[in-house]
Amino acid sequence: KQEVTQIPAALSVPEGENLVLNCSFTDSAIYNLQWFRQDPGKGLTSLLLIQSSQREQTSGRLNASLDKSSGRSTLYIAASQPGDSATYLCAVKETSGSRLTFGEGTQLTVNP
Amino acid sequence: GAVVSQHPSWVICKSGTSVKIECRSLDFQATTMFWYRQFPKQSLMLMATSNEGSKATYEQGVEKDKFLINHASLTLSTLTVTSAHPEDSSFYICSAKRTEKLLSGNQPQHFGDGTRLSIL
């Protein structure tokens, strides 16, 4: 059974700092990995999707990497802003179907 | 594009009431929709996969008769929590995957804004 773990569970940083969120998964046979943002009481917004054959994806100040063999992904946020404060979830899609398995998220607070 | 609308966003009702939550894909067709449940400070747990025109596939431990799913069209799936009790209080989120035959299975899921259900 696929298990997804995110470290740290919570992170508080001053504005402007670069930061890294970590995601690990137990079964490396994944189809793709996706990073989401969730604001309090809201649904999920997709940030980046990395196919299993890719090593990284970039969107603006966000960069996500994938090391499938070691079962790890990182989300790098450059020059963090207070508006980046949210919970960040990673999820893996398994090869066999459409199921997404989510980590428990990292709650990020960027202080002005 | 790829907007998913979920309604209602918040509902409070008495124990024993049945509550229906709607999930609509506004600008695309979705053969498959997913229903998740999220407890405070926890991740999303898949409850069931809803397929248009056929029976939903439920995850282990999810009661089919408790959580009724209907996916009658390519843009609408509903989740009905029957005879809801306080332990059913949670945040329910749906997602939809665009259906386009020429595309591969790599289409991302698009999520609704969730429904907060509070049973008194």
Side-chain angles (χ1 to χ4, degrees), chain A residues 1 6 31-32 34 36 38 41-46 49 51 89-90 93 98-100 102-105 107, chain B residues 32 34 36 38 41-44 46 59 91 93 97 104-114 116:
Chain A
K1 179 185 175 185
Q6 288 186 248
Y31 204 55
N32 60 41
Q34 203 165 351
F36 294 90
Q38 185 177 29
K42 295 291 186 180
L44 275 65
T45 300
S46 179
L49 184 151
Q51 307 295 354
L89 295 160
C90 77
K93 178 179 175 181
S98 298
R99 165 196 291 273
L100 280 178
F102 284 85
E104 292 193 346
Q107 185 173 355
Chain B
T32 304
F34 304 88
Y36 296 86
Q38 185 180 34
K41 296 195 182 295
Q42 294 187 24
S43 191
L44 280 72
L46 180 65
E59 295 301 303
F91 192 57
I93 305 177
K97 193 170 75 164
S104 70
N106 286 331
Q107 290 302 300
Q109 292 182 25
H110 303 281
F111 286 79
D113 275 345
R116 182 156 304 283

Side-chain angles (χ1 to χ4, degrees), chain B residues 13-98:
Chain B
C13 58
K14 294 181 180 179
S15 184
T17 306
S18 292
V19 179
K20 180 185 283 188
I21 303 170
E22 293 186 348
C23 180
R24 292 180 185 273
S25 55
L26 297 186
D27 53 357
F28 66 99
Q29 293 186 333
T31 301
T32 304
M33 293 186 176
F34 304 88
W35 288 96
Y36 296 86
R37 182 172 181 175
Q38 185 180 34
F39 290 105
K41 296 195 182 295
Q42 294 187 24
S43 191
L44 280 72
M45 297 299 296
L46 180 65
M47 298 174 65
T49 302
S50 167
N51 298 295
E52 186 268 336
S54 64
K55 292 183 178 180
T57 303
Y58 290 80
E59 295 301 303
Q60 190 173 9
V62 178
E63 298 177 56
K64 300 178 182 181
D65 295 332
K66 176 75 172 177
F67 300 99
L68 300 178
I69 291 174
N70 183 279
H71 193 156
S73 78
L74 286 171
T75 60
L76 174 65
S77 175
T78 61
L79 169 67
T80 300
V81 183
T82 60
S83 187
H85 292 285
E87 59 266 29
D88 299 322
S89 299
S90 189
F91 192 57
Y92 293 86
I93 305 177
C94 73
S95 71
K97 193 170 75 164
R98 186 189 297 268

